[in-house]
Amino acid sequence: MENRITIPFQARYEILGIPSSAIDQIWFVCHGHGQLAKYFIRKFEEIDNGKTLIVAPEGLFKYYLQGFTGRVGATWMTKEDRLNDIENYLTYLSAVMNEVKSKVKKDVQVTLLGFSQGGATISRFATQTDVHFDRLVLWAGIFPPDLPPLESNRKLRDKECLLVYGTDDEYLTEARIAEQKSIATEIKIVPETLTFKGGHELNKRLLQEINERPYRQN
């Protein structure tokens, strides 16, 4: 018979920049499958300008990318015990956000970004917790199909939502884009689509453009 237990648990996250009253905005960025936060956060060095704080949480599950030794990656969840894993990472992400925001001014603006598998993670964080944010960016990822429609619409309808991907992304196929549109229709959200010439990757120029955008006034 399966049993459950709650235990104290330590987890890490990475920061680029120095939390202080000089910070105007936080970028809270979730990596893709098989990545580690300490490497993923380096891709945001272009927007580390003294006023932007980049925060990269890390998937709670580590594994060897090939075999039983060598490079290690992290993942947010698998199909096994997925609901419990989702609840755990939402608790973790909330704790990270609360700790970071306690070190900056109260009116700081927040961009939530999820890359690839991190897109589903950040979507759930945006819609299934009480996190305050101003912009949601799904980069090379899509809304997960199990988002609660009414609650998701309530949390997202007044936010800036962006879908960003490379035109040569081998993972974001036409079928996946169609699935994204279907889920967005179900939750009654119309993300703005931004594309760039490239594959399953981040794009420095587009990151800078988004970072320099004024936030939507709600």
Side-chain angles (χ1 to χ4, degrees):
M1 181 175 64
E2 182 179 279
N3 291 272
R4 300 274 174 172
I5 187 171
T6 299
I7 61 171
F9 188 88
Q10 288 193 353
R12 64 187 183 182
Y13 65 95
E14 299 286 331
I15 284 183
L16 188 58
I18 301 174
S20 72
S21 60
I23 297 298
D24 291 331
Q25 61 173 329
I26 293 172
W27 276 57
F28 196 83
V29 299
C30 287
H31 63 76
H33 180 80
Q35 296 181 306
L36 293 176
K38 63 183 177 181
Y39 302 123
F40 183 65
I41 201 169
R42 296 177 185 175
K43 301 179 184 297
F44 297 86
E45 291 176 347
E46 295 294 325
I47 64 173
D48 177 22
N49 56 14
K51 295 182 178 295
T52 299
L53 184 69
I54 301 96
V55 181
E58 187 169 78
L60 300 178
F61 306 99
K62 315 297 190 300
Y63 65 99
Y64 291 114
L65 295 177
Q66 292 184 337
F68 303 102
T69 186
R71 291 178 56 207
V72 172
T75 187
W76 294 101
M77 57 168 286
T78 65
K79 66 180 181 180
E80 180 67 24
D81 201 21
R82 61 185 299 277
L83 295 180
N84 188 63
D85 288 347
I86 290 171
E87 182 179 351
N88 285 339
Y89 76 55
L90 291 179
T91 299
Y92 158 67
L93 293 175
S94 296
V96 174
M97 179 65 85
N98 290 339
E99 179 168 281
V100 171
K101 292 190 74 173
S102 72
K103 301 176 182 179
V104 298
K105 55 191 177 185
K106 292 184 178 180
D107 60 348
V108 67
Q109 294 177 300
V110 176
T111 290
L112 302 179
L113 179 146
F115 174 75
S116 194
Q117 186 197 38
T121 301
I122 208 70
S123 295
R124 294 189 179 102
F125 183 49
T127 60
Q128 297 176 37
T129 73
D130 61 359
V131 62
H132 168 78
F133 66 98
D134 302 280
R135 175 188 292 145
L136 175 66
V137 182
L138 303 185
W139 197 300
I142 69 173
F143 290 125
D146 57 357
L147 288 185
L150 293 178
E151 186 65 12
S152 297
N153 177 266
R154 185 182 70 81
K155 292 296 295 288
L156 298 178
R157 64 192 177 198
D158 296 325
K159 309 298 184 185
E160 181 182 9
C161 295
L162 303 178
L163 172 63
V164 186
Y165 61 93
T167 54
D168 299 320
D169 191 328
E170 66 272 30
Y171 296 106
L172 208 64
T173 61
E174 290 185 8
R176 292 285 282 171
I177 294 173
E179 181 183 4
Q180 159 75 11
K181 291 179 180 178
S182 175
I183 298 169
T185 298
E186 184 177 356
I187 63 176
K188 297 182 173 60
I189 296 297
V190 183
E192 178 184 353
T193 298
L194 302 176
T195 62
F196 62 94
K197 180 66 175 176
H200 197 67
E201 59 191 345
L202 294 171
N203 177 273
K204 291 181 179 181
R205 176 189 59 80
L206 207 46
L207 278 174
Q208 287 180 311
E209 288 183 10
I210 295 171
N211 188 57
E212 293 168 0
R213 276 187 174 205
Y215 282 89
R216 179 185 296 177
Q217 298 300 313
N218 296 325

